[in-house]
Amino acid sequence: MPGHLRDFFAVLPDTAEGQAVAGRLRSEAEDLRAVLHPSGRPWIVHRLPFRQVSRATRGGDSLVLIGPAGVPGTVLSGILDPARDTADLHRRLARLPGIHHVVSRLDGEVCVRGTASGHRRVYHARYAGGRLVSDRPAVLAHLTGAGIDDGALALRLLDTVPHPLRHRPVWGGLEEVDPAYALSLRAGGPGHTVWRWWHPPEPELGADRGAPLLAAALADSVRAHLAGHTRISCELSGGLDSTSVAFLARQAGDRETVLLTAAARDAHAEDEMWARRGAEDARRGAARTVEHRVVPAGDVPLFYADLRGNARELLDEPFPVAPARARAELLIARAAAAGSRYHLTGYGGDELFNGLPAACQDLLPGSPLKAWSRIGALRHQLGWPLWPTLRGLLARPSFAGWLAGAVTPEPPSDGRVPLLSWGMRQTMRPWFTEDARALILGEFRSAAEHAEPLSPRPGRHMDIDTVRLGARVFQSLEDVGVTVGLPVAAPFYDDRVVEAVLSVRVEDRVVPWRYKPLLVEAMREVVPARLLARTTKDHMAADDVQGLREHSADLRALWSGSLLARRGLVDAGRLERLADDPFSPVLQRHPIDSTVSCETWLRTAEDAWPADRPTGGNQRGSGKSERNEAVS
């Protein structure tokens, strides 16, 4: 397997073809290990430098968890032994903390699922009369010879890809399982089924009951991540999310801890001041050493630095994070150099706790005054005009209707558009070709013909969709950690944490005159009061603009010989001219991040496979060491 894919697993059928796939992977991947079928053939082959594989058996039945820390066999046996069938088994797994893939085999039925948050995903493809399953679509593309799907790639040129289009893999012939569903396979055939294993909780709890549930779920998740590690690190940006995780880590056990903060270039930024306060409080009364290391602003890469560095990981798809990769790698590398064995972040907090205006729409039928008081306050904070806000509340389209018109040729003349529907409306970029525009519009319209929302209520739909989007993107940071040699985690994406938040009433979660009120209440006994009092958040817009200027030559070189242009998706000449004009009003209105991410991803993907092993063509539309061990 190419060196980019340092972390993956694949589930193979109990057939000669499955065994041949294992042999092929073994010839290409270092340190490949295996969990065996009862027949002795490979069942799960994996190369997981940081994730742990835990297993329990009951006769011919088996339960395997792949996650951040090992789960004791006694715990898994206590779940597997009384399970009556696959659905019952997965119900019993529901309260286990941590972020795991689950692979089970009961009565000849193999079931694979990820997490409801979308942080752990499952892909599958038909192969030689059977079906291959993996957590990495690139593995399946490599094995099946799948080519890039230009329609799916064109979608990634947008800032965000909404449900259900997001589940369309960038390689043709592959399928992704919706996070709320599990994939089931029967021995002896290529057929498969999906079934729903997760339902979001109803928002019925007040903050007085929901905050303790959230606090317990977060504490359990942090403990599950840190199990077995005596020296750890935490990103301490100064914001409430990373501060909460850092103090939960302090509470979780007696460990040496390194707190890392990246200083800002903006003289008016407040993050560093709050981070220093947090570190001061964390040291107070700590049983073990708590170090605080501040990276000087001059050492922090600007956006668009080291774009070639994106070639070090082959991500599952293009994520709009390529311009910031060098910044992320710096902090993780500093943590590793400090001797950390596990790195925690506060990623996911914004998606869970900022409070989406659309969520307030769900209050309208039963509590119109509560809905309007919150939406009215948000309208004033965000500068929304009155009449468009009222129209957004009262004239809501169906999900299918919204999806069909969710992409427009040009941005609105007034940028203050109320976010009161099923998602963001997005605009085509001026450098998209007519082919790209046609592909994108065709994909949206086609999906709208059969798409179902994640919830009948727009607010709840956006709550879930926002978390899933953030969880997908975070995996790119995990992949950087694998490259650096340090596992990176975001406990906020634990399903138990997400469920605790979703179980709280909207009026207690979305309070415009309070900053992240649910998280503040949950952390009352964990985080010092003076840190919970912060109500501001820094932004890095200046670093983005300065990065466009400082790295204009790198951007120009990126568009010279553009692979996106060869596929007919972008106008490389226009992008080269924009690289020479970083202060252009076009770049102020039309962010370029997603296009940069697609270009760098495509270059990595096209160079990923050995030259002597051909892959499939373009599609539109739908001397190494080896080990083969049974994991017990």
Side-chain angles (χ1 to χ4, degrees):
M1 181 60 58
H4 304 87
L5 290 168
R6 300 173 178 89
D7 175 275
F8 70 91
F9 72 84
V11 181
L12 309 178
D14 189 9
T15 61
E17 290 83 4
Q19 189 165 16
V21 168
R24 175 178 170 183
L25 290 173
R26 194 175 300 121
S27 71
E28 298 174 335
E30 296 178 355
D31 300 322
L32 193 73
R33 302 186 69 181
V35 179
L36 304 181
H37 285 287
S39 67
R41 291 191 179 106
W43 177 31
I44 306 170
V45 294
H46 58 87
R47 183 167 71 176
L48 303 168
F50 300 129
R51 286 187 283 167
Q52 304 295 312
V53 179
S54 306
R55 185 187 186 192
T57 59
R58 181 189 64 185
D61 296 337
S62 191
L63 171 62
V64 175
L65 264 61
I66 301 171
V71 180
T74 53
V75 173
L76 292 185
S77 293
I79 295 171
L80 174 63
D81 289 348
R84 299 184 303 273
D85 53 32
T86 297
D88 183 42
L89 173 65
H90 286 261
R91 281 193 296 270
R92 293 173 184 275
L93 284 164
R95 303 313 306 169
L96 195 66
I99 300 174
H100 301 90
H101 276 99
V102 179
V103 186
S104 64
R105 182 181 57 236
L106 268 72
D107 298 325
E109 179 186 28
V110 170
C111 179
V112 190
R113 70 162 173 84
T115 59
S117 69
H119 184 34
R120 300 294 181 221
R121 299 182 296 281
V122 173
Y123 302 85
H124 59 104
R126 187 173 179 129
Y127 181 83
R131 191 153 292 268
L132 304 179
V133 185
S134 181
D135 65 328
R136 297 290 194 173
V139 172
L140 301 179
H142 178 50
L143 294 171
T144 63
I148 303 296
D149 181 330
D150 280 345
L153 180 61
L155 290 172
R156 270 67 178 188
L157 291 168
L158 299 171
D159 288 340
T160 61
V161 185
H163 167 85
L165 289 161
R166 186 181 307 134
H167 303 305
R168 169 93 166 274
V170 190
W171 285 280
L174 278 56
E175 297 181 54
E176 179 185 334
V177 181
D178 184 288
Y181 288 76
L183 175 73
S184 285
L185 307 166
R186 274 284 170 188
H192 68 281
T193 58
V194 294
W195 56 277
R196 184 158 197 146
W197 70 272
W198 183 80
H199 295 269
E202 286 298 316
E204 299 172 336
L205 303 181
D208 57 335
R209 293 176 59 198
L213 289 178
L214 172 59
L218 262 175
D220 288 346
S221 184
V222 169
R223 277 194 295 270
H225 279 92
L226 297 182
H229 300 286
T230 58
R231 185 170 175 82
I232 65 164
S233 55
C234 299
E235 180 180 351
L236 184 63
S237 69
L240 186 56
D241 307 324
S242 64
T243 300
S244 298
V245 170
F247 277 86
L248 284 165
R250 180 178 182 270
Q251 176 184 275
D254 187 12
R255 297 177 175 87
E256 294 180 354
T257 304
V258 181
L259 305 175
L260 292 112
T261 303
R265 291 177 173 81
D266 185 350
H268 300 289
E270 298 180 342
D271 274 353
E272 184 181 341
M273 175 189 71
W274 284 98
R276 290 186 183 277
R277 289 178 183 175
E280 178 184 326
D281 288 347
R283 290 193 194 98
R284 192 174 293 121
R288 298 285 292 273
T289 303
V290 177
E291 303 175 39
H292 185 211
R293 303 191 180 190
V294 179
V295 181
D299 291 351
V300 179
L302 294 166
F303 289 101
Y304 310 103
D306 188 24
L307 292 175
R308 289 191 180 92
N310 288 282
R312 295 171 196 161
E313 299 91 30
L314 177 54
L315 305 181
D316 292 349
E317 61 188 83
F319 295 119
V321 294
R325 185 197 175 280
R327 301 168 70 96
E329 183 180 33
L330 170 78
L331 214 58
I332 298 170
R334 294 286 178 101
S340 173
R341 294 293 179 264
Y342 208 91
H343 187 64
L344 292 180
T345 74
Y347 281 82
D350 284 346
E351 291 88 345
L352 284 171
F353 303 114
N354 265 345
L356 297 168
C360 300
Q361 295 176 97
D362 295 351
L363 294 173
L364 274 173
S367 303
L369 292 180
K370 282 183 180 179
W372 179 246
S373 69
R374 282 157 174 75
I375 291 172
L378 289 166
R379 183 179 77 82
H380 287 292
Q381 289 176 8
L382 301 171
W384 294 347
L386 176 60
W387 291 114
T389 302
L390 290 173
R391 280 198 303 272
L393 284 173
L394 301 176
R396 292 183 296 176
S398 66
F399 179 67
W402 169 81
L403 189 62
V407 180
T408 60
E410 296 293 336
S413 56
D414 186 345
R416 299 172 300 163
V417 178
L419 299 176
L420 292 171
S421 190
W422 299 94
M424 286 194 315
R425 294 191 76 192
Q426 301 184 78
T427 59
M428 299 289 190
R429 302 296 184 240
W431 51 84
F432 290 2
T433 63
E434 289 303 317
D435 277 357
R437 291 168 184 259
L439 280 171
I440 292 169
L441 290 174
E443 297 292 349
F444 271 78
R445 290 167 182 163
S446 176
E449 294 177 2
H450 52 79
E452 295 290 339
L454 298 171
S455 167
R457 303 188 296 270
R460 175 47 56 104
H461 167 88
M462 278 201 69
D463 282 338
I464 298 171
D465 202 39
T466 300
V467 169
R468 287 185 176 183
L469 175 62
R472 292 174 81 92
V473 173
F474 176 73
Q475 189 174 344
S476 62
L477 189 62
E478 278 190 319
D479 288 342
V480 173
V482 174
T483 298
V484 170
L486 181 66
V488 180
F492 282 121
Y493 289 128
D494 189 312
D495 284 352
R496 270 56 54 181
V497 175
V498 174
E499 288 172 348
V501 173
L502 294 179
S503 69
V504 176
R505 296 187 304 235
V506 171
E507 56 265 43
D508 287 6
R509 290 194 294 113
V510 186
V511 185
W513 44 93
R514 293 183 61 194
Y515 184 65
K516 298 186 177 180
L518 181 59
L519 182 60
V520 169
E521 292 305 316
M523 293 293 102
R524 288 285 183 202
E525 304 300 320
V526 178
V527 178
R530 70 167 181 163
L531 303 178
L532 293 176
R534 185 179 184 186
T535 59
T536 59
K537 182 178 177 66
D538 284 353
H539 299 281
M540 296 176 287
D543 281 17
D544 186 279
V545 174
Q546 189 176 345
L548 285 170
R549 183 187 67 201
E550 295 292 331
H551 299 294
S552 61
D554 295 330
L555 286 165
R556 192 185 314 111
L558 189 68
W559 308 128
S560 176
S562 165
L563 297 185
L564 288 172
R566 288 184 195 174
R567 289 176 174 269
L569 299 178
V570 302
D571 180 343
R574 183 159 191 176
L575 286 166
E576 289 186 67
R577 292 191 293 275
L578 286 172
D580 292 328
D581 187 13
F583 299 108
S584 167
V586 172
L587 292 177
Q588 294 177 25
R589 296 187 75 192
H590 300 279
I592 203 169
D593 293 10
S594 295
T595 308
V596 170
S597 297
C598 283
E599 180 67 38
T600 55
W601 180 90
L602 189 57
R603 293 186 179 202
T604 303
E606 290 209 344
D607 291 340
W609 317 133
D612 61 348
R613 194 177 296 280
T615 61
N618 299 347
Q619 299 180 30
R620 290 182 182 263
S622 322
K624 299 178 180 179
S625 62
E626 61 182 74
R627 287 182 290 174
N628 183 21
E629 305 173 9
V631 178
S632 58

